[in-house]
Amino acid sequence: MSIPTILIPTDQLVSMGLKTSKNVHYQLSPEELVQDTLRMGEGVLNDSGALVIHTGEFTGRSPKDKFLVKDEITRDAVHWNEFNLPLEEKYFFIIRKKINEYLAKCPEIWVRDAYACANMRYRHNIRVVNEKPWHNLFAYNMFLRPTEDELENFHPDWTILSAPGLLLDPVESGTRQHNAAVISFKYKTILIAGTGYTGEIKKAIFTILNFILPKQQNVLSMHCAANMGSEGETALFFGLSGTGKTTLSADPKRKLIGDDEHGWADDNIFNFEGGCYAKCINLTEEKEPDIFRAIRPGSLVENTHFYEGTNTINFENGGVTENTRASYPLYHISNAQEPSIGHIPENIFFLTCDAYGVLPPISRLNPAQAMYQFISGYTAKVAGTEAGVTEPKSTFSACFGAPFLPLHPGRYAEMLGEKLRKHHVKVWLVNTGWTGGPYGIGHRMKLSFTRSMITAALEGKLDGVAFEKHPVFGMELPQSCPGVPTYLLNPRNTWAEKTAYDLNVRKLAKQFIDNFEKYASGVPAYILAAGPLV
């Protein structure tokens, strides 16, 4: 296969520190990137034409190895915690030099110019330099794609240098181990070394937008999905992994704006990305037809197995990881909104998979309660998902995206509250988890019932029904909902042992209160007062 001609000016690479005379592949098409991956023996095609690869040692993000350079920009602005780990500036220079030298020695590198934020007022140009062609394909899928005219005078605001084959010396580099993702706001550079997991690229950009947009441009950055109805009515879906965020936002009757990252400006909401990065463990065409059909030529599928003797993916096989993923451009979704911009949302859904089985399947939150639940970011893992876990295990992730939030969660919650009150947005807490008892005793809420509840909320069919207040958490429970058995709407009614329900709901409430203590000093009293009562 012939090597494409260099299209990017060499002086631009030199200015980035890439003193290379090797083959530089610039702005290749998905087809060319797939062929380069196959040529290098680093992937195979499945029976639908998608590229299937393995990411190597890391099959997920490594949050303990993500660092923010601590300097005059970040020192007093970043909320330093277990996710925002500081790195001295001197180590940034050492790692950058190591990556530049490593990439200069690579026989080939792949460079792509792209951008984030569909709203052009907030556009951030990105240059991605990759050791691997399939990482460059991931960047093509996940970021927004400039036109040829825009590329003629393209100037990157941010640069990503990705060298998964470079193993760092932790002592020399100031890191925990041989891999790291390092962000410098001063030098507008992201360094990724020692990990082949593609999601590090996407989440590094999300992290920088979570710092820049709220702090400098008064845009609320959000870890959520978004879709829009035929009349332009927009809805947001927040939720941690396993709560149904991607599934429930992929509604064939509504346009998909995006499945993961959005900004809320004064006059609209907009996608940060140009693609989707969907979990595909247990994926079926029947349950998630849009995602299943999006896995076709140009898509990148990570860490899956084939059925023996075939090139058909066995989506039920989590032998490599439960975090199997597929990335694909938004235009692979037949009902994607173009451009990926929506109106001010009318409804917001906080999705939780409550394995304790005590939260209502749908409930209405007032603004203070919404801010409390937003900061809490609750879901629960079921027994058996981790060694030694024999009962449901609570997970709290601030603003449904704690690992990517450089600022104090209270800042994002404050912005959310202002927008909820200004635009009179309805906020719903939806439990996609268990009812009738905890995991092992009760059963999971039927997806058809959850869809009916969300549809009823979107269509205003819950506006006129009677509500009752939950005695512990305080949210309002509808007493009827089209398409849903009435007894399901109050979770206490579904438990055979009412005393057991009361004990479990108080147990969960205590966990909410204990978790919130870490944020109490950074939020106003009225948000604290919106928490559960025990």
Side-chain angles (χ1 to χ4, degrees):
M1 181 178 178
S2 62
I3 302 297
T5 304
I6 294 178
L7 297 177
I8 185 171
T10 304
D11 60 344
Q12 291 192 28
L13 292 177
V14 171
S15 70
M16 294 161 57
L18 288 167
K19 299 179 177 67
T20 175
S21 60
K22 300 295 190 298
N23 295 309
V24 178
H25 305 269
Y26 176 67
Q27 218 71 6
L28 295 196
S29 68
E31 295 79 11
E32 291 170 314
L33 293 168
V34 169
Q35 288 304 312
D36 281 356
T37 303
L38 298 177
R39 168 173 59 83
M40 297 172 68
E42 297 197 357
V44 295
L45 299 181
N46 81 324
D47 57 2
S48 69
L51 179 64
V52 181
I53 56 92
H54 282 224
T55 59
E57 177 185 0
F58 294 94
T59 58
R61 290 181 300 99
S62 186
K64 293 182 180 180
D65 300 299
K66 187 195 83 173
F67 301 92
L68 305 181
V69 178
K70 194 169 187 177
D71 54 29
E72 58 270 26
I73 295 175
T74 59
R75 184 174 293 108
D76 298 324
V78 167
H79 181 230
W80 303 105
N81 55 27
E82 70 271 27
F83 299 116
N84 297 320
L85 303 173
L87 188 74
E88 292 183 52
E89 192 172 73
K90 67 178 182 180
Y91 292 121
F92 167 79
F93 294 135
I94 290 171
I95 297 171
R96 186 175 66 177
K97 185 172 184 290
K98 290 287 184 184
I99 291 180
N100 281 335
E101 291 174 347
Y102 179 86
L103 291 174
K105 294 176 182 177
C106 289
E108 306 169 65
I109 61 172
W110 287 262
V111 179
R112 175 161 305 281
D113 287 337
Y115 67 96
C117 298
N119 186 328
M120 292 300 165
R121 294 203 306 271
Y122 308 105
R123 171 172 170 163
H124 286 72
N125 285 343
I126 304 163
R127 176 162 292 156
V128 190
V129 182
N130 298 113
E131 175 190 357
K132 303 291 187 182
W134 44 276
H135 276 93
N136 207 252
L137 176 62
F138 179 83
Y140 172 89
N141 286 343
M142 297 310 304
F143 298 131
L144 290 153
R145 295 162 282 278
T147 65
E148 289 192 16
D149 288 342
E150 289 173 325
L151 288 171
E152 288 186 8
N153 296 296
F154 189 92
H155 296 285
D157 300 306
W158 279 81
T159 300
I160 302 174
L161 302 178
S162 169
L166 172 62
L167 303 183
L168 299 172
D169 179 340
V171 175
E172 181 184 17
S173 303
T175 57
R176 186 178 71 98
Q177 53 184 24
H178 61 266
N179 64 296
V182 179
I183 298 172
S184 169
F185 287 94
K186 184 175 180 179
Y187 297 101
K188 296 186 175 182
T189 300
I190 295 163
L191 308 174
I192 300 173
T195 173
Y197 183 62
T198 58
E200 295 284 11
I201 296 172
K202 150 190 166 70
K203 289 307 184 185
I205 290 297
F206 187 43
T207 300
I208 68 111
L209 293 175
N210 282 328
F211 183 84
I212 295 169
L213 293 179
K215 185 173 175 59
Q216 300 177 7
Q217 299 179 298
N218 198 35
V219 172
L220 173 60
S221 53
M222 306 175 293
H223 192 204
C224 69
N227 66 23
M228 188 167 65
S230 58
E231 301 300 319
E233 63 278 17
T234 300
L236 305 180
F237 297 80
F238 291 84
L240 302 178
S241 179
T243 60
K245 180 179 65 170
T246 300
T247 300
L248 293 168
S249 62
D251 185 337
K253 297 180 181 178
R254 297 171 64 85
K255 293 280 190 180
L256 180 68
I257 299 170
D259 78 329
D260 200 42
E261 302 172 6
H262 294 84
W264 187 341
D266 290 337
D267 54 353
N268 61 29
I269 65 104
F270 57 94
N271 196 347
F272 291 165
E273 302 183 295
C276 300
Y277 192 41
K279 289 193 74 169
C280 52
I281 191 73
N282 298 319
L283 177 66
T284 66
E285 187 172 14
E286 179 184 9
K287 290 182 179 178
E288 296 176 298
D290 286 333
I291 298 172
F292 189 91
R293 294 165 191 164
I295 299 176
R296 58 181 197 258
S299 297
L300 180 70
V301 183
E302 300 176 358
N303 300 316
T304 55
H305 282 290
F306 292 139
Y307 287 105
E308 189 174 354
T310 76
N311 62 340
T312 300
I313 297 173
N314 179 359
F315 289 111
E316 295 181 356
N317 190 327
V320 178
T321 177
E322 292 286 310
N323 188 38
T324 54
R325 293 274 181 170
S327 78
Y328 46 86
L330 268 173
Y331 60 74
H332 277 201
I333 299 292
S334 59
N335 64 334
Q337 170 69 10
E338 178 61 38
S340 47
I341 297 174
H343 298 297
I344 297 297
E346 297 180 11
N347 289 276
I348 294 176
F349 299 93
F350 293 160
L351 307 176
T352 180
C353 177
D354 176 30
Y356 295 97
V358 298
L359 291 181
I362 189 167
S363 56
R364 188 170 62 190
L365 306 176
N366 64 37
Q369 291 168 339
M371 295 167 75
Y372 185 94
Q373 291 292 334
F374 183 61
I375 292 176
S376 297
Y378 164 73
T379 193
K381 297 177 181 178
V382 299
T385 57
E386 294 182 2
V389 179
T390 57
E391 62 179 26
K393 182 180 179 181
S394 298
T395 299
F396 295 92
S397 185
C399 309
F400 300 96
F404 323 116
L405 305 181
L407 307 178
H408 190 287
R411 172 61 177 140
Y412 305 97
E414 178 187 6
M415 294 182 73
L416 177 67
E418 291 171 356
K419 292 178 181 296
L420 296 181
R421 289 185 287 267
K422 178 179 179 180
H423 301 289
H424 308 289
V425 183
K426 300 169 190 172
V427 183
W428 309 88
L429 180 67
V430 176
N431 174 19
T432 63
W434 271 255
T435 185
Y439 173 82
I441 297 175
H443 58 274
R444 188 124 190 215
M445 184 66 61
K446 289 184 178 179
L447 179 60
S448 60
F449 289 154
T450 301
R451 289 192 186 280
S452 293
M453 288 181 274
I454 288 176
T455 298
L458 290 171
E459 295 179 352
K461 294 179 179 178
L462 297 181
D463 294 350
V465 307
F467 284 79
E468 58 181 313
K469 186 176 181 180
H470 192 280
V472 176
F473 279 88
M475 69 276 282
E476 294 183 318
L477 286 57
Q479 295 183 359
S480 63
C481 177
V484 181
T486 300
Y487 78 93
L488 282 177
L489 297 173
N490 187 324
R492 193 172 189 271
N493 295 338
T494 68
W495 284 54
E497 296 291 336
K498 310 302 183 193
T499 302
Y501 172 83
D502 294 338
L503 288 172
N504 275 273
V505 76
R506 284 178 170 78
K507 178 181 177 181
L508 179 60
K510 180 66 164 54
Q511 292 181 43
F512 266 81
I513 293 169
D514 291 346
N515 170 71
F516 211 87
E517 287 181 357
K518 66 172 74 77
Y519 307 119
S521 62
V523 300
Y526 73 89
I527 298 180
L528 289 172
L533 301 174
V534 293

